Amino acid sequence: MTKSTRRDFLQIAGATGAISALSLAGCAQMGKGSGARVVVIGGGYAGATAAKYVKTWDSSIDVTLIEPKQKYVSCPLSNTVLGGFGDMAKITFDYTAMKNDHKVNVVHDMATAVDPAKKTVTTKGGQSIAYDRLIVAPGIDFNDFPGYVASQHEDMVPHAWKAGPQTVLLRKQLEAMDDGGVVIISPPTNPYRCPPGPYERASLIGFYLKTKKPRSKVIVMDPKDKFSKQGLFTEGWNMHYKGYIEWVSKANDGAVLEVDAKGKRVRTDFGWHKADVLNFIPPKQKAGGIAAAAGLTDKSGWCPVNLQTFESTIHKDIHVIGDAAIVPGMPKSGNAGNTEAKACALAVVSLLNGDPVSTAHTSNTCYSLITPSHGMSVNATYHLTEDSKKYTKMKGSGGLSPMGASADVRKQEAKYAWGWLANISTDIWG
Amino acid sequence: MLRKFAIPMAVGVGAALTVFAMPAQSMEKKMAVADARLLAAGCFNCHGPAGESQGHIDEINDISADKMVKKMKEFREGKASTIMGRIAKGFSDAELMALAAHIEALNK
């Protein structure tokens, strides 16, 4: 997409949006949102989408995005880097278009506090930024685990559950491992970011080992007895990775109770298990730090929200979207975050303009790769239930790729996985 | 640019009216129809902003509203696909018409 078309789209979309909002409201109140200030914390899949779409749907609103990093690395498809056939550049995006084409003020700083009464956000750099409505999209953080505190141990035992340097570190450890080595992956307990992610990771590390270090293997030590897309992963592992991937369920002593980061060991009920490369993905995940600091979390560690507007049920005028929010019926995924952000952005624009708020409509499309040319998907289109208490799929819709599909179908879905990344990243950061 | 503004304005109003004038169908009697902007934006995560794809996945910025509704109904009724059948079954007729009109308007 050229820059000029992108701008045209925004202007057209902006105009169309304004007009249909007016016609829905039935009165002419153009520019009522003018001068309103929306601040977004977090420039990932959810936050960056919200910033761009608030601006798209009402260009008169002043939008500021607070994100410490200059570049964002996508978790979706980061497992291809571990598999040795993806590269970091392909999954890295920046905020140039956000600033230049969409006129969002991008502040590269860390939000450290929110004052819901004064309606300000304070940053590590000492700025105080005022908002009329705040959208918080901080992603996830990890609770401490016996023997594993992410900030202390992630340099030895990467979780790689936030893509970037962690992805590169895990890849380097895999490259340095001798042939004949054992890779242990320990997936989290529910609920966590990207339910099929650990199993795609096992698949693609399996791909690397099979092609480059064929005497090695991956052991998945799981605190669960079942997992996302299990049938399709198992089918794929039987097809491609016999002897390379072993899944140990909770019932078979898979649950890790303690980590010895220095020794690259994990302890289960039956004893210690030594790895050559250990990928511990901490269980008991929670909303990213600023959410708790701002008092937006409940005792689960996640943020309760109104499911139509994504406004916090704890603090007024603050919305929470993406992995940090409690959204019954929807998974914690990048695509889910993107569509929650759109529903939230439209609600924010409507509220600032005094217009009625549309019912929400969201979706999730999630591709996983088993090999570079074997892909599969799960998807859902969500409506809000009448009582607004959860998201639900229309009867007969959504679901998984079929079992036993042809190699051509699997290849097509692998291609679509990359097409999805190219398009959703342009939808967000382009 | 003026011309580009004018057309979506008209269609925007049309789409809104269409939504409200739509007779309730039995299976979707109680289902509220979301704003067309939101429904349409739900396509762009896979098909690209305004339906303009970067590749691998079909673009949807060059088909008329009528054709899009027809295609979605075909997917819903079982036309071979990897994922569109599963997606199309998640939309009511009223939603399909609203989103298709909006995407057509964006790209005029």
Side-chain angles (χ1 to χ4, degrees):
Chain A
M1 187 183 230
T2 64
K3 282 197 170 161
S4 63
T5 6
R6 205 186 287 138
R7 270 192 297 271
D8 285 352
F9 156 61
L10 282 179
Q11 281 159 349
I12 297 162
T16 319
I19 293 308
S20 50
L22 291 175
S23 49
L24 284 170
C27 54
Q29 296 176 318
M30 199 156 192
K32 212 177 152 191
S34 188
R37 296 156 305 180
V38 170
V39 174
V40 182
I41 297 176
Y45 273 83
T49 302
K52 178 172 166 183
Y53 271 85
V54 167
K55 206 70 187 162
T56 300
W57 284 327
D58 187 346
S59 60
S60 74
I61 295 174
D62 183 57
V63 180
T64 300
L65 175 66
I66 306 174
E67 164 58 50
K69 293 189 293 294
Q70 298 283 338
K71 289 185 175 179
Y72 181 83
V73 183
S74 166
C75 276
L77 286 161
S78 65
N79 286 328
T80 64
V81 175
L82 305 177
F85 59 95
D87 73 86
M88 291 298 286
K90 235 174 160 172
I91 57 168
T92 302
F93 307 99
D94 69 25
Y95 300 92
T96 311
M98 188 74 77
K99 284 185 252 194
N100 297 345
D101 298 345
H102 309 303
K103 310 297 176 202
V104 170
N105 315 311
V106 180
V107 175
H108 287 298
D109 201 344
M110 170 85 85
T112 50
V114 175
D115 186 332
K118 287 189 186 143
K119 298 175 86 165
T120 54
V121 179
T122 308
T123 69
K124 198 175 176 184
Q127 300 184 66
S128 174
I129 302 171
Y131 64 84
D132 294 301
R133 283 192 176 267
L134 174 65
I135 300 173
V136 182
I140 58 158
D141 251 324
F142 306 116
N143 284 304
D144 295 349
F145 188 82
Y148 195 90
V149 175
S151 58
Q152 290 170 30
H153 300 114
E154 66 184 15
D155 291 345
M156 278 182 281
V157 173
H159 50 76
W161 220 237
K162 296 179 185 183
Q166 280 280 297
T167 314
V168 175
L169 177 62
L170 183 52
R171 172 65 193 161
K172 279 188 179 154
Q173 292 187 353
L174 290 166
E175 282 171 352
M177 186 180 83
D178 289 336
D179 191 6
V182 171
V183 179
I184 292 180
I185 300 175
S186 171
T189 41
N190 294 320
Y192 64 98
R193 159 181 282 179
C194 190
Y199 312 96
E200 181 192 63
R201 177 168 292 179
S203 308
L204 298 188
I205 290 178
F207 175 78
Y208 171 64
L209 299 181
K210 186 180 171 182
T211 48
K212 303 284 181 190
K213 292 175 180 169
R215 294 191 297 116
S216 316
K217 72 188 287 188
V218 182
I219 302 174
V220 183
M221 305 205 53
D222 211 323
K224 305 186 292 296
D225 282 325
K226 53 182 186 178
F227 60 88
S228 170
K229 301 179 180 169
Q230 186 166 357
L232 289 163
F233 276 115
T234 307
E235 179 190 75
W237 293 347
N238 285 335
M239 198 179 286
H240 304 289
Y241 301 121
K242 272 213 168 120
Y244 289 96
I245 298 176
E246 183 186 340
W247 177 66
V248 185
S249 67
K250 181 185 175 187
N252 285 320
D253 193 38
V256 170
L257 306 173
E258 187 183 353
V259 177
D260 168 15
K262 216 169 168 186
K264 291 194 193 301
R265 297 186 306 161
V266 291
R267 185 173 66 79
T268 63
D269 265 337
F270 284 88
W272 287 96
H273 307 265
K274 172 89 175 85
D276 294 288
V277 173
L278 176 57
N279 173 219
F280 181 72
I281 307 166
K284 293 182 183 148
Q285 299 180 357
K286 59 181 177 182
I290 186 67
L296 294 164
T297 51
D298 68 12
K299 63 178 190 307
S300 71
W302 305 101
C303 306
V305 294
N306 171 308
L307 295 180
Q308 187 184 0
T309 61
F310 291 88
E311 187 168 7
S312 165
T313 54
I314 301 173
H315 287 302
K316 207 175 155 293
D317 302 329
I318 303 179
H319 303 249
V320 186
I321 51 174
D323 293 345
I326 301 171
V327 186
M330 289 183 67
K332 295 187 185 301
S333 79
N335 198 132
N338 166 272
T339 65
E340 290 167 18
K342 287 167 180 169
C344 173
L346 188 59
V348 163
V349 166
S350 301
L351 290 164
L352 289 171
N353 280 287
D355 291 333
V357 178
S358 164
T359 184
H361 188 278
T362 59
S363 62
N364 182 48
T365 299
C366 164
Y367 287 98
S368 299
L369 296 178
I370 290 177
T371 75
S373 56
H374 181 142
M376 41 84 163
S377 60
V378 65
N379 81 292
T381 306
Y382 298 104
H383 293 86
L384 200 48
T385 52
E386 251 185 291
D387 62 6
S388 296
K389 286 201 171 138
K390 65 180 251 192
Y391 281 90
T392 179
K393 291 190 292 187
M394 207 133 103
K395 205 177 164 198
S397 73
L400 295 157
S401 303
M403 294 285 288
S406 69
D408 282 350
V409 167
R410 300 297 190 220
K411 198 172 172 184
Q412 188 70 17
E413 291 222 282
K415 218 169 82 175
Y416 285 159
W418 289 107
W420 171 87
L421 181 70
N423 283 335
I424 197 169
S425 62
T426 308
D427 188 34
I428 301 171
W429 298 281
Chain B
M1 192 47 69
L2 260 179
R3 192 185 64 84
K4 284 189 171 178
F5 269 92
I7 294 164
M9 277 183 191
V11 181
V13 173
L17 290 176
T18 311
V19 170
F20 288 112
M22 188 78 57
Q25 312 208 348
S26 57
M27 64 174 279
E28 52 199 60
K29 215 178 264 172
K30 287 183 175 171
M31 206 168 70
V33 177
D35 189 299
R37 290 170 290 177
L38 186 57
L39 292 169
C43 305
F44 303 159
N45 36 316
C46 290
H47 291 276
E52 187 172 333
S53 176
Q54 306 290 305
H56 294 319
I57 294 175
D58 287 349
E59 55 188 18
I60 53 167
N61 61 345
D62 59 349
I63 59 174
S64 68
D66 285 349
K67 196 171 167 193
M68 187 178 300
V69 171
K70 187 169 167 270
K71 280 190 145 193
M72 288 294 277
K73 286 184 176 171
E74 284 169 2
F75 281 128
R76 205 163 62 183
E77 280 145 28
K79 186 188 166 192
S81 67
T82 57
I83 197 169
M84 282 312 300
R86 288 179 266 156
I87 291 174
K89 286 179 189 138
F91 290 89
S92 68
D93 287 355
E95 288 172 330
L96 289 181
M97 289 167 87
L99 75 86
H102 189 76
I103 292 173
E104 182 185 273
L106 278 181
N107 289 296
K108 265 201 173 147

